[in-house]
Amino acid sequence: MTASAPTQRRTRRLVGIVEAAAVAVVAAFAWTSNRYDIAFGIFSGDSSRRVVDRWYAGLLSDIGIVLWALAAGVLVFVAVRAGIDASTRARVTAVAVTLAWLGADDLFVLHEEVIPERFGIAEPVVLGTEAVVIAVMIAATAPLWRRVAPRVFIGAWAVLAASLVIARLPLGPLASTAVASCCKFVGIANLFLFAVLTASAEAGAQNRSG
């Protein structure tokens, strides 16, 4: 079952608003970095390993972590609601767990430090394993995201993957970090939007069936 034309138009407007807001946030940090001679990495770096003792260190990363948590929380709320069928609950839960893990990864620098240092597993192996798990999750939850907002969901993962590639390109410190951060932030914001759209879709389905 696909969304109606009015619903698709509303979704496109929401995507435009969310992505414009996400880009504006990153652009504001980039402008501040250039204007006040603050390394952009101080804003985008993980706050758990901040390099300077300033309130703004890791602030952009922290906003992203909050969005990860909110997205996972919204989906958990959807999953535990009465009236949702078992297959949909399982798919929503799978997405929620994946987003919660990625949020925890960002918060506790799991793939960068914790897992390599504590368990001796190299960072590329951890990232590769995460990529495989995400791919399996995307395939397993296809009936959910195809019904709710396929472009939002797949687009979010695409720009998140792009952020990893761009971060490793020789574009210069500010350019590569800022562009990669922008892609990552847009991806996280779109996953939060997907969670909200999922909650709306499930509430509407229950209202129609009731």
Side-chain angles (χ1 to χ4, degrees):
M1 182 179 179
T2 57
S4 64
T7 299
Q8 291 177 353
R9 286 195 295 270
R10 183 193 66 174
T11 299
R12 284 195 294 269
R13 286 196 297 270
L14 288 173
V15 169
I17 293 169
V18 167
E19 291 186 350
V23 171
V25 168
V26 178
F29 278 103
W31 179 87
T32 303
S33 171
N34 184 65
R35 176 68 177 79
Y36 296 100
D37 196 25
I38 301 172
F40 187 84
I42 291 177
F43 297 128
S44 63
D46 300 301
S47 58
S48 60
R49 53 177 184 178
R50 62 180 63 189
V51 294
V52 296
D53 187 20
R54 295 289 187 274
W55 65 268
Y56 51 77
L59 183 57
L60 180 59
S61 176
D62 289 344
I63 296 172
I65 290 168
V66 169
L67 288 177
W68 281 124
L70 289 173
V74 169
L75 291 173
V76 168
F77 173 76
V78 173
V80 300
R81 286 190 64 183
I84 187 173
D85 64 86
S87 59
T88 300
R89 177 177 288 110
R91 293 172 187 129
V92 171
T93 301
V95 179
V97 169
T98 303
L99 301 190
W101 166 262
L102 293 174
D105 188 349
D106 266 2
L107 179 60
F108 300 111
V109 290
L110 297 180
H111 78 262
E112 298 99 329
E113 294 182 2
V114 175
I115 295 177
E117 292 177 4
R118 298 284 180 86
F119 302 99
I121 303 173
E123 181 180 354
V125 176
V126 179
L127 287 173
T129 302
E130 287 183 338
V132 170
V133 171
I134 290 169
V136 170
M137 180 276 295
I138 291 172
T141 59
L144 172 68
W145 53 260
R146 283 177 178 166
R147 173 170 57 87
V148 175
R151 292 182 181 179
V152 175
F153 192 73
I154 296 302
W157 295 111
V159 292
L160 284 170
S163 72
L164 294 176
V165 175
I166 293 170
R168 288 159 175 77
L169 294 178
L171 302 176
L174 176 59
S176 61
T177 306
V179 175
S181 295
C182 187
C183 288
K184 181 177 180 179
F185 199 69
V186 167
I188 299 171
N190 271 324
L191 287 172
F192 171 68
L193 175 60
F194 175 79
V196 173
L197 292 173
T198 300
S200 176
E202 292 306 318
Q206 290 188 26
N207 289 336
R208 287 191 297 272
S209 63

